[in-house]
Amino acid sequence: MKRDMFTCGLDAALAVIGGKWKPLIMFHLAHDTRRYGELKRAIGAVSHKMLIQQLKELEVDGLVHRVDHKEIPPRVDYSLTEFGQTLANALVPLCEWGTAHATEVSEMMTNREARTR
Amino acid sequence: MKRDMFTCGLDAALAVIGGKWKPLIMFHLAHDTRRYGELKRAIGAVSHKMLIQQLKELEVDGLVHRVDHKEIPPRVDYSLTEFGQTLANALVPLCEWGTAHATEVSEMMTNREARTR
DNA sequence: CCGTATCCATTGCGATACTG
DNA sequence: CAGTATCGCAATGGATACGG
């Protein structure tokens, strides 16, 4: 069915987007450049500390480009680098999978809660 | 903390394979069914507790199929369900990305260490 | 508005020991 | 060999306050 090439590029990929919020960040930057506040609102569930922290790591890793306009009030734009864009592309099938199976997944989550109690 | 809907498919996908070792497990089961011990050796860095735990979750979520042969000594086979296989397929591009950019990623990691110090 | 720093509760996870 | 249970430390991550 498939070839045995996966031992294991996945390791490398996970080292980069393994962070809890990184895939989401990548996703939201995939099409547009966004200001910090926009990202925060777009993701919502993430805390300020986490978002800043993960953005910083993505920046250091060369996936995200950060532009500080040095204005008052502050204005900072985030966007994907070319490199980051290639990774975002690799994330697309996963995103589509999630969309296609959203209902099944929702049921799972409720089952999990029932089990934990 | 309960969530009602997923803002993008990625949310749903992450809810399922968000666990630290789950993507690796999925990929090691993508081709063959494996015994517990085989998986443990294949992944290596994972601890016994973690592997059992994550396998259990994957099983409950209907991604992994578990067969206990009730033998002595114990023999338990793990494999992907049809559903699990669809998810494994969605992970392939990510795996390929990691393979293609393994060297860049390695450099990143060393840079990270330099930064932490 | 954007970013840093601190405190502190919660969790993650490894080590270890025990069962069938 | 496969799985469960417990203990305890280290990392995670949220809340809050402060500064440009």
Side-chain angles (χ1 to χ4, degrees), chain B residues 22-60:
Chain B
K22 290 181 184 176
L24 269 327
I25 294 172
M26 295 296 287
F27 261 107
H28 283 287
L29 291 178
H31 303 82
D32 312 296
T33 142
R34 295 284 188 105
R35 295 186 55 174
Y36 170 80
E38 292 179 311
L39 271 179
K40 181 73 172 60
R41 257 172 282 115
I43 302 184
V46 70
S47 72
H48 174 60
K49 179 183 174 182
M50 277 297 100
L51 184 52
I52 286 281
Q53 179 182 305
Q54 306 257 307
L55 278 171
K56 183 95 173 197
E57 290 182 16
L58 289 172
E59 185 195 354
V60 169

Side-chain angles (χ1 to χ4, degrees), chain A residues 23-78:
Chain A
L24 268 326
I25 295 172
M26 298 294 287
F27 172 82
H28 284 286
L29 290 179
H31 300 88
D32 311 296
T33 145
R34 295 284 189 105
R35 294 186 55 173
Y36 170 81
E38 292 178 311
L39 271 178
K40 181 73 170 62
R41 257 171 281 116
I43 302 183
V46 70
S47 71
H48 174 60
K49 178 183 173 181
M50 276 298 100
L51 185 51
I52 287 281
Q53 178 184 305
Q54 306 257 308
L55 278 170
K56 183 97 174 198
E57 289 182 17
L58 289 173
E59 186 195 353
V60 169
D61 286 349
L63 298 164
V64 162
H65 183 60
R66 178 178 178 274
V67 178
D68 187 341
H69 293 281
K70 312 273 187 184
E71 296 174 357
I72 303 276
R75 177 187 184 85
V76 180
D77 287 334
Y78 289 94

Side-chain angles (χ1 to χ4, degrees), chain A residues 108-117, chain B residues 1-3:
Chain A
M108 277 176 203
M109 303 312 288
T110 58
N111 288 342
R112 264 196 208 168
E113 288 171 25
R115 194 173 53 84
T116 318
R117 206 173 349 106
Chain B
M1 184 215 306
K2 177 177 271 208
R3 66 172 44 169

Side-chain angles (χ1 to χ4, degrees), chain B:
Chain B
M1 184 215 306
K2 177 177 271 208
R3 66 172 44 169
D4 18 60
M5 267 263 295
F6 300 113
T7 61
C8 77
L10 213 43
D11 273 326
L14 291 175
V16 178
I17 40 148
K20 190 175 181 184
W21 300 99
K22 290 181 184 176
L24 269 327
I25 294 172
M26 295 296 287
F27 261 107
H28 283 287
L29 291 178
H31 303 82
D32 312 296
T33 142
R34 295 284 188 105
R35 295 186 55 174
Y36 170 80
E38 292 179 311
L39 271 179
K40 181 73 172 60
R41 257 172 282 115
I43 302 184
V46 70
S47 72
H48 174 60
K49 179 183 174 182
M50 277 297 100
L51 184 52
I52 286 281
Q53 179 182 305
Q54 306 257 307
L55 278 171
K56 183 95 173 197
E57 290 182 16
L58 289 172
E59 185 195 354
V60 169
D61 287 348
L63 297 164
V64 162
H65 185 58
R66 179 178 177 275
V67 178
D68 187 340
H69 293 281
K70 312 272 188 185
E71 296 174 356
I72 303 272
R75 177 185 185 84
V76 179
D77 286 335
Y78 290 95
S79 58
L80 292 189
T81 61
E82 277 298 317
F83 187 51
Q85 190 65 52
T86 63
L87 181 51
N89 292 339
L91 284 172
V92 170
L94 202 56
C95 183
E96 289 172 348
W97 184 93
T99 308
H101 298 90
T103 55
E104 283 118 304
V105 173
S106 295
E107 287 169 17
M108 278 177 203
M109 303 313 287
T110 59
N111 287 342
R112 266 196 207 165
E113 288 169 25
R115 196 173 54 84
T116 317
R117 210 172 343 109

